Amino acid sequence: MQKIIKDVVIIGAGLTGLTTAYYLRKNGWDTIVLERDDRTGGSIRTFRRDGFVYESGPNTGSLSCPEVAELFDDLAPQCSIEVANRQSKRRMIYKNGKFRPLPSGLWQAVNTPLFRFRDKIRILGEPFRKRGNNPLETVGDMVIRRMGRSFLDYAVDPFIGGIYAGDPSKLVTRYALPKLWALEQKSGSFVKGAIRKKRQPVSERDKRATREVMSVVGGLQNLTDALSGKIGQEHILLEVSNISVRPSDEIPNGRWMVSAKVNGEFHQWYVRYVVSTVGTYALPPIFSFLGGKIIDSLTSMMYAKVVQVVLAFKTWKGMSLQSFGGLIPYKENRTILGILFISSFLQNRAPENGALMSVFIGGTRHPEYIKLSDQEITNMVLREVHELMHDPNLTPDFIDIFRHHYAIPQYEKSTKERLEAIEKVQQENPGLIIAGNLRDGIGMADRIRQGRTVADGIHMGTI
């Protein structure tokens, strides 16, 4: 058995783990990354076929924090941001047999058929409604209270379906949409909060957070591949099994012993810090030294099961796809969550005159869809696409299907207990950090920001 001394062991080579490892290595920390799969990148993976470039996991990110822009500064010119074109600003919502644009301004909101007239009138009183006082209020309850039912059904519900593949009646606003929750808590209303925020001075660094939809030139995997290259393959171990962590005082300044099986041989690392970035479902065997109640609190999270179906058309002859895509409200009783028109807002994703789209089914409301056969999924999706686009002749040149059993964490009421458990574990076990998308947000920007924060905290000695 090999015994190795390191500064930090990071468990998981997804975007969070790679970002953390990159910044630690950049600051001179002797770091090793352990990954159970045979590749880095986690859910991020780019495929290329017949002139199409498509993703099996996340399709886009957002420039919602300066840490994203700063990371790409470091990775240039090997890896470059691709900002989505203006079509990405146009979002479609399906209602009564037709895709309709989601309003982007007051005049459109007044004229759209998506919302009831009384809710359009009701929205005028939103700045004068009382601030909510329930810290565990769900997104659905908050939107109905402040804006009305039709805004929930035909704006927020499809948005939640597109982001979380979840149910707004179960997601807690404070955790799932913290910026929206903060608008009401700090300013008393969404409208007043948005106006106040717009008037606040913005630093040059924060101006880099444009909130634009983005990808990576050539596909998102170029980002994780670039990070892996900067870290160095010798500092990333793949196909690692039987990972286990326990406290140790066997070496000076060492607080943890991490054991794992690599290429059929057990290794032990004695380290100052352990950073876990894996999903909650993987935590119990890794941290078996923790009490059962703590583990139960850490793992009490639901994940949306999502099936992504890629449709590739070498020649597109259907309806105009000049938008980000179409979201399907749950109230419309369809079998898909939404469609992304990838080739409309990202460059070089399909041959000229072709089209590339991703269709999503399942989510927390229909987890059973993930068990369907490829043929059943194909039949379901094509039937829906034909009906939604009013064109029974649409025939893709190829279809690719990806099943994600742990696609998107759901920040429901159990989140409070989980965050308290994380805080307790970290306080009682210095040097152990529980990170990943079980906290701090689910988007790519959230993962980059968290990885940077963890690395900086270790380097500065603040965590």
Side-chain angles (χ1 to χ4, degrees):
M1 180 180 293
Q2 293 191 33
K3 294 185 177 181
I4 307 165
I5 298 174
K6 293 281 184 182
D7 291 329
V8 186
V9 163
I10 296 172
I11 304 172
L15 184 56
T16 310
L18 293 175
T19 302
T20 307
Y22 166 70
Y23 281 109
L24 284 171
R25 294 282 306 158
K26 183 180 178 181
N27 286 313
W29 288 73
D30 190 2
T31 304
I32 192 79
V33 182
L34 308 182
E35 171 56 51
R36 66 178 182 179
D37 288 338
D38 61 358
R39 53 178 294 275
T40 63
S43 62
I44 293 175
R45 190 168 189 177
T46 303
F47 290 81
R48 294 170 178 83
R49 177 178 172 184
D50 298 340
F52 294 89
V53 179
Y54 55 97
E55 314 286 351
S56 68
N59 282 267
T60 60
S62 171
L63 282 168
S64 57
C65 62
E67 287 86 350
V68 176
E70 290 166 348
L71 178 60
F72 279 91
D73 288 346
D74 281 1
L75 299 179
Q78 180 182 354
C79 185
S80 303
I81 290 176
E82 178 183 357
V83 176
N85 66 33
R86 60 185 180 84
Q87 305 300 339
S88 67
K89 300 183 185 300
R90 189 168 186 258
R91 314 295 176 97
M92 308 299 289
I93 304 293
Y94 189 80
K95 183 177 183 180
N96 297 334
K98 185 179 180 180
F99 280 112
R100 306 168 190 274
L102 185 67
S104 59
L106 179 60
W107 181 248
Q108 289 183 5
V110 169
N111 287 279
T112 181
L114 290 174
F115 312 132
R116 296 182 301 188
F117 177 76
R118 66 182 182 183
D119 286 341
K120 294 176 185 179
I121 297 300
R122 176 179 169 81
I123 198 67
L124 298 175
E126 193 276 335
F128 308 103
R129 293 196 177 91
K130 291 182 179 179
R131 181 186 286 106
N133 57 13
N134 177 8
L136 297 180
E137 185 175 34
T138 67
V139 174
D141 287 343
M142 185 184 203
V143 172
I144 290 174
R145 175 172 58 81
R146 298 208 68 87
M147 304 176 71
R149 182 80 206 190
S150 65
F151 280 90
L152 172 64
D153 289 339
Y154 286 98
V156 176
D157 174 85
F159 169 79
I160 291 295
I163 300 298
Y164 278 94
D167 183 345
S169 71
K170 295 181 178 180
L171 293 170
V172 174
T173 312
R174 183 176 186 176
Y175 305 120
L177 300 175
K179 292 181 181 178
L180 185 68
W181 182 80
L183 284 179
E184 184 188 33
Q185 293 302 305
K186 294 179 180 179
S187 302
S189 91
F190 302 154
V191 174
K192 288 192 292 187
I195 292 173
R196 181 175 296 177
K197 189 173 181 180
K198 211 167 189 179
R199 291 174 176 172
Q200 290 177 342
V202 180
S203 68
E204 288 302 315
R205 181 174 186 259
D206 286 338
K207 285 179 181 178
R208 305 198 70 185
T210 63
R211 305 193 64 79
E212 291 177 292
V213 174
M214 52 77 67
S215 181
V216 176
V217 174
L220 291 174
Q221 188 177 324
N222 284 348
L223 168 59
T224 52
D225 285 351
L227 283 168
S228 299
K230 291 284 189 179
I231 294 165
Q233 293 300 326
E234 67 275 21
H235 302 292
I236 302 173
L237 299 180
L238 303 176
E239 297 184 274
V240 178
S241 62
N242 300 94
I243 301 173
S244 178
V245 176
R246 67 172 176 82
S248 173
D249 58 2
E250 295 182 35
I251 64 168
N253 298 320
R255 294 182 285 199
W256 298 97
M257 190 274 282
V258 181
S259 64
K261 196 173 184 180
V262 185
N263 296 325
E265 181 181 358
F266 273 98
H267 293 234
Q268 289 181 341
W269 294 269
Y270 293 87
V271 298
R272 296 165 60 188
Y273 291 92
V274 175
V275 181
S276 170
T277 68
V278 302
T280 60
Y281 49 87
L283 293 176
I286 296 174
F287 299 105
S288 58
F289 74 92
L290 295 174
K293 185 176 180 181
I294 283 289
I295 281 291
D296 289 344
S297 297
L298 289 176
T299 58
S300 61
M301 171 181 271
M302 174 184 285
Y303 288 79
K305 301 178 187 296
V306 175
V307 181
Q308 178 183 352
V309 183
V310 174
L311 306 180
F313 301 82
K314 291 182 179 178
T315 303
W316 177 253
K317 297 180 180 179
M319 61 176 273
S320 171
L321 302 180
Q322 299 306 301
S323 72
F324 185 74
L327 294 172
I328 319 298
Y330 181 68
K331 192 171 183 178
E332 290 294 307
N333 294 314
R334 309 300 306 196
T335 57
I336 69 174
L337 297 167
I339 311 173
L340 288 183
F341 303 150
I342 306 295
S343 54
S344 291
F345 59 87
L346 294 177
Q347 299 296 314
N348 303 315
R349 301 306 166 109
E352 188 175 359
N353 300 319
L356 177 70
M357 59 183 71
S358 285
V359 182
F360 300 89
I361 65 173
T364 60
R365 283 161 163 159
H366 290 288
E368 70 278 8
Y369 287 173
I370 204 165
K371 297 180 181 180
L372 297 176
S373 68
D374 283 1
Q375 191 59 58
E376 288 172 320
I377 290 170
T378 297
N379 293 341
M380 173 189 289
V381 166
L382 289 181
R383 182 175 61 249
E384 285 289 280
V385 169
H386 291 161
E387 292 181 10
L388 294 173
M389 296 187 171
H390 306 288
D391 189 342
N393 298 314
L394 292 174
T395 304
D397 289 279
F398 71 82
I399 296 173
D400 216 343
I401 297 172
F402 302 100
R403 292 173 175 82
H404 302 283
H405 290 268
Y406 299 99
I408 308 171
Q410 303 297 296
Y411 290 175
E412 299 179 349
K413 291 184 179 179
S414 64
T415 303
K416 181 176 184 293
E417 181 182 357
R418 183 171 61 259
L419 295 180
E420 290 173 348
I422 291 171
E423 184 66 22
K424 178 179 174 64
V425 167
Q426 293 184 160
Q427 285 184 352
E428 294 180 352
N429 299 277
L432 176 58
I433 300 163
I434 307 295
N437 62 12
L438 74 170
R439 63 177 176 93
D440 300 335
I442 64 169
M444 288 178 54
D446 299 316
R447 303 295 86 238
I448 291 170
R449 178 171 51 194
Q450 186 192 70
R452 171 79 175 272
T453 300
V454 169
D456 288 351
I458 290 174
H459 183 59
M460 301 299 292
T462 57
I463 60 175

